[in-house]
Amino acid sequence: MTSVSYRGYGGSSGSPTEFGLMRDDEAAYREIRERGYPSDRIVLMGESLGTAVATAVASVHDAAALVLDSPYSSVADVAATHYWMFPAPWLLLDRYRADLAIRHVHLPLLVIHGDDDWIVPRKLSQRLFNLANEPKTFISVSGAGHVVLGAPGVFQRVRVWIDAWTGVKRDNS
């Protein structure tokens, strides 16, 4: 499993602009392909801010599947939810329009979202999911907040879903 620390996160330098994060994900995808991994063995994953970036990569590259943890339709929609009294969407430089990119994704999609997410309302995740092509699966995690992959039992469910789409057989004995 390969993980990317975006610029400005996880000890990486720089600042997390939309353009920069898209370049980071493109570079990560190219690197993994150059290391010899076939597209049918690559599962693109994003959490929170990274879900729009992963969706953009999935819209132009082949992979086995796309998994999104706590996604949203656009950052403007998130801003409008939290700052409804201001024209927040008009003040944003970076829009992270997952809602536009998802229409071009033709991979199996798994969306997981906590029903008590205080950062990205579940309705924005549901909006993105509704725009997505089939096949798609939505897992709502009861009582969970933002970014739920580490919540009890969630990773196991995600792994089973990924294994089903990639054909991986595990000996669980």
Side-chain angles (χ1 to χ4, degrees), residues 78-156:
V78 175
T81 299
H82 290 286
Y83 305 105
W84 53 268
M85 70 295 286
F86 300 114
W90 296 350
L91 303 174
L92 295 170
L93 296 175
D94 294 327
R95 304 237 169 223
Y96 296 92
R97 295 292 308 265
D99 58 342
L100 298 179
I102 197 72
R103 297 168 186 182
H104 303 286
V105 174
H106 297 283
L107 306 174
L109 170 68
L110 175 62
V111 171
I112 54 176
H113 204 107
D115 64 3
D116 285 338
D117 191 335
W118 62 94
I119 295 173
V120 176
R122 188 179 175 278
K123 70 180 182 182
L124 299 182
S125 183
Q126 189 67 53
R127 183 180 299 163
L128 183 68
F129 181 80
N130 292 342
L131 293 170
N133 295 301
E134 294 287 348
K136 58 187 179 180
T137 304
F138 193 103
I139 296 175
S140 183
V141 183
S142 181
H146 190 63
V147 182
V148 297
L149 191 59
V154 174
F155 182 78
Q156 177 61 24

Side-chain angles (χ1 to χ4, degrees), residues 42-79:
I42 297 171
V43 175
L44 301 170
M45 297 182 79
E47 63 180 26
S48 192
L49 183 65
T51 61
V53 182
T55 302
V57 170
S59 74
V60 295
H61 292 292
D62 290 328
L66 173 62
V67 177
L68 302 177
D69 182 351
S70 305
Y72 50 89
S73 45
S74 72
V75 165
D77 289 344
V78 175

Side-chain angles (χ1 to χ4, degrees), residues 16-38:
T17 65
E18 184 174 10
F19 178 75
L21 296 183
M22 295 294 180
R23 288 187 59 198
D24 291 346
D25 250 18
E26 282 292 329
Y29 185 86
R30 275 194 319 274
E31 176 66 21
I32 200 133
R33 290 304 308 268
E34 288 172 7
R35 289 184 182 193
Y37 291 93

